[in-house]
């Protein structure tokens, strides 16, 4: 397995909030954040796409998908076909895992130079401001990419449920990408076979503790995802995800039994900038914890990606240069999370 990044080890925020705190430690203070847009009560909401309609070749729904990927880079997916009781089990088991006593969690903590495990990602310097969250990061597919220090040591129900969830989400990801190719009027092979003959899947389970000064901390810094497609499951009731749309931060209100899906940088590259990855962030609640389960899908590291030929035309020149997935990830993980700036590194200068 190639190594594509490291992150400095940091203490647990979950442990920090076990003692009552009135003042946030300096290292977690992020003053001067853009507040969300609350000026307008009729804020547009992330589009809702019905997968069962897409699968029955509903043309209007396909246009909605196309529009969502162009204008929003985000949508909620309903009637997605993933077994609801299995999803409930994943929510329950992940919550339990993130709430294990520290003594147990230590066994799953990051070790130097490894991204997988409990901790934070994108910590690239000792004096950098930290996020108000503990996350657990793990490679889930292909099976030979699983970390033998972590995966086999999961409590048994979690291991079985994640195994099942991971394979169902891979299938769902391929179905969505196939429908995106239809919406783009290109051969599905252009996105699927070439890039996705073997998907690399990772998961990030994040525990966002409450904070007495939520406006001065951040759960995840503004970023776009490096991968091709993210499938996000909100594991409890607390909201916190916000996406940047036309310069405003818009809160996403997850629907019950829906997934929040977003386009990542790699899909933006492959579609020659037609489908867009969108900047998003996670905010913190004053009283309530929040838990999310993000599943990322990308091509294998040795693939070279670039705008797919049929989307490069005389009217629309290539917007991005070609790059090996591995080089993109190395750049992404070494820069710290900074909006969409990593894509600019490979943008063709006009
Ligand atoms: O927790 C969330 O809602 C967002 C997580 C996220 O953006 C990520 O893991 O990339
Ligand atoms: Fe993200």
């Amino acid at each position: 397995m190639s190594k594509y990044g490291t992150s400095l080890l940091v203490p647990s925020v979950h442990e920090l909030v076990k003692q009552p705190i009135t003042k946030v430690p300096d290292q977690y203070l992020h003053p001067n954040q853009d507040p969300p847009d609350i000026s307008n009560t009729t804020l547009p909401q992330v589009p809702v796409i019905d997968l069962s309609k897409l699968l029955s070749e509903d043309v209007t729904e396909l246009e909605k998908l196309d529009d969502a990927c162009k204008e929003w880079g985000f949508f909620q997916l309903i009637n997605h076909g993933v077994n609801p009781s299995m999803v409930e089990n994943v929510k329950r088991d992940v919550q339990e895992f993130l709430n294990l006593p520290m003594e147990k969690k230590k066994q799953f903590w990051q070790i130097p130079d490894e991204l997988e495990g409990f901790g934070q990602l994108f910590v690239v310097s000792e004096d950098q401001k930290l996020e108000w969250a503990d996350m657990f990061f793990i490679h889930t597919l292909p099976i030979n990419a699983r970390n033998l220090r972590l995966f086999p040591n999961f409590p048994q129900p979690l291991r079985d449920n994640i195994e099942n969830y991971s394979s169902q989400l891979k299938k769902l990801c391929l179905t969505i990408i196939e429908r995106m190719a239809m919406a783009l009027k290109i051969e599905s092979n252009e996105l699927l076979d070439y890039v996705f003959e073997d998907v690399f899947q990772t998961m990030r389970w994040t525990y966002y503790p409450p904070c007495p000064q939520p406006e001065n901390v951040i759960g995840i810094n503004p970023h776009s995802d490096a991968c091709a497609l993210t499938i996000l499951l909100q594991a409890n009731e607390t909201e916190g995800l916000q996406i940047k749309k036309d310069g405003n931060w818009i809160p996403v209100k997850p629907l019950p039994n829906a997934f929040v899906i977003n386009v990542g940088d790699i899909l933006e590259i492959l579609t020659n900038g037609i489908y867009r990855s969108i900047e998003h962030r996670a905010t913190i609640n004053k009283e309530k914890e929040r838990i999310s389960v993000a599943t990322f899908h990308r091509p294998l590291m040795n693939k070279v990606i670039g705008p797919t030929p049929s989307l490069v035309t005389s009217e629309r020149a290539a917007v991005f240069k070609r790059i090996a997935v591995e080089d993109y990830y190395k750049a992404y993980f070494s820069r710290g999370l900074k909006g969409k700036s990593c894509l600019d590194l490979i943008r063709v200068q006009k």
Side-chain angles (χ1 to χ4, degrees):
M1 247 299 294
S2 65
K3 210 168 96 193
Y4 51 92
T6 58
S7 183
L8 299 175
L9 297 183
V10 297
S12 162
V13 186
H14 201 158
E15 288 303 297
L16 178 74
V17 298
K18 284 192 174 151
Q19 281 94 43
I21 50 162
T22 48
K23 200 172 162 300
V24 172
D26 241 23
Q27 218 184 349
Y28 298 93
L29 279 181
H30 295 246
N32 310 320
Q33 289 184 58
D34 293 343
D37 188 344
I38 42 165
S39 58
N40 184 342
T41 47
T42 56
L43 277 179
Q45 266 298 305
V46 173
V48 178
I49 306 289
D50 184 334
L51 185 64
S52 66
K53 287 189 184 164
L54 285 180
L55 294 177
S56 62
E57 319 273 313
D58 181 320
V59 179
T60 317
E61 203 66 11
L62 197 63
E63 279 167 7
K64 264 176 75 184
L65 174 70
D66 194 46
D67 193 62
C69 297
K70 285 175 175 160
E71 304 301 327
W72 286 84
F74 262 86
F75 55 90
Q76 299 209 47
L77 191 70
I78 56 168
N79 295 324
H80 47 63
V82 178
N83 183 331
S85 64
M86 196 261 295
V87 174
E88 288 310 308
N89 291 343
V90 166
K91 288 184 188 172
R92 183 202 57 212
D93 292 352
V94 168
Q95 288 217 33
E96 265 178 40
F97 184 69
L98 298 180
N99 279 301
L100 282 175
M102 194 58 192
E103 269 316 299
K104 288 240 166 66
K105 278 198 277 195
K106 272 189 187 149
Q107 184 191 353
F108 297 97
W109 213 263
Q110 284 169 330
I111 54 176
D113 292 335
E114 215 174 271
L115 295 173
E116 286 181 88
F118 274 109
Q120 294 196 6
L121 299 177
F122 310 103
V123 185
V124 294
S125 90
E126 293 287 349
D127 51 10
Q128 143 184 359
K129 296 287 185 185
L130 298 177
E131 293 167 332
W132 194 259
D134 286 354
M135 66 96 226
F136 179 81
F137 183 62
I138 190 157
H139 298 167
T140 42
L141 288 175
I143 287 171
N144 65 10
R146 288 183 185 167
N147 188 321
L148 297 176
R149 185 174 72 84
L150 302 171
F151 212 94
N153 293 322
F154 281 159
Q156 189 65 51
L158 175 70
R159 203 159 97 197
D160 293 345
N161 284 323
I162 289 302
E163 186 97 54
N164 202 345
Y165 185 69
S166 146
S167 69
Q168 290 209 28
L169 259 58
K170 172 184 167 177
K171 267 193 224 140
L172 179 62
C173 167
L174 297 181
T175 306
I176 296 169
I177 291 193
E178 188 205 6
R179 297 292 136 168
M180 287 175 169
M182 270 182 160
L184 287 160
K185 302 190 173 57
I186 62 175
E187 291 288 326
S188 60
N189 290 1
E190 284 191 61
L191 298 180
L192 283 179
D193 280 9
Y194 166 62
V195 207
F196 278 97
E197 65 199 26
D198 213 350
V199 176
F200 200 100
Q201 183 193 63
T202 61
M203 290 192 195
R204 174 187 168 123
W205 308 338
T206 312
Y207 180 87
Y208 303 97
C211 177
Q213 295 166 259
E215 59 294 341
N216 292 330
V217 295
I218 189 80
I220 290 194
N221 285 302
H223 67 285
S224 59
D225 295 344
C227 65
L229 197 81
T230 305
I231 304 181
L232 184 77
L233 171 68
Q234 171 92 22
N236 71 350
E237 307 283 291
T238 314
E239 288 172 16
L241 175 64
Q242 296 179 350
I243 72 172
K244 199 159 198 180
K245 169 91 172 119
D246 304 327
N248 294 320
W249 285 108
I250 300 194
V252 176
K253 299 185 190 313
L255 299 169
N257 304 319
F259 288 120
V260 175
I261 313 276
N262 65 288
V263 172
D265 293 348
I266 288 183
L267 206 55
E268 173 158 347
I269 296 168
L270 292 173
T271 63
N272 198 21
I274 296 175
Y275 286 180
R276 290 185 305 136
S277 68
I278 297 295
E279 226 180 298
H280 53 286
R281 66 181 184 185
T283 57
I284 296 298
N285 190 283
K286 194 168 178 153
E287 276 109 27
K288 290 184 278 180
E289 62 184 26
R290 174 166 182 266
I291 294 174
S292 71
V293 175
T295 307
F296 308 102
H297 302 87
R298 63 159 166 86
L300 300 183
M301 283 298 185
N302 59 4
K303 297 281 174 181
V304 176
I305 49 167
T308 188
S310 60
L311 296 177
V312 179
T313 57
S314 49
E315 291 88 58
R316 192 180 179 89
V319 182
F320 299 108
K321 298 175 211 158
R322 290 173 67 76
I323 186 168
V325 172
E326 180 163 19
D327 293 336
Y328 193 73
Y329 268 73
K330 282 184 174 161
Y332 186 88
F333 274 90
S334 65
R335 294 164 56 80
L337 274 190
K338 291 199 188 96
K340 279 192 72 170
S341 67
C342 199
L343 263 183
D344 292 336
L345 299 175
I346 57 160
R347 212 175 279 280
V348 174
Q349 304 299 326
K350 292 233 171 66

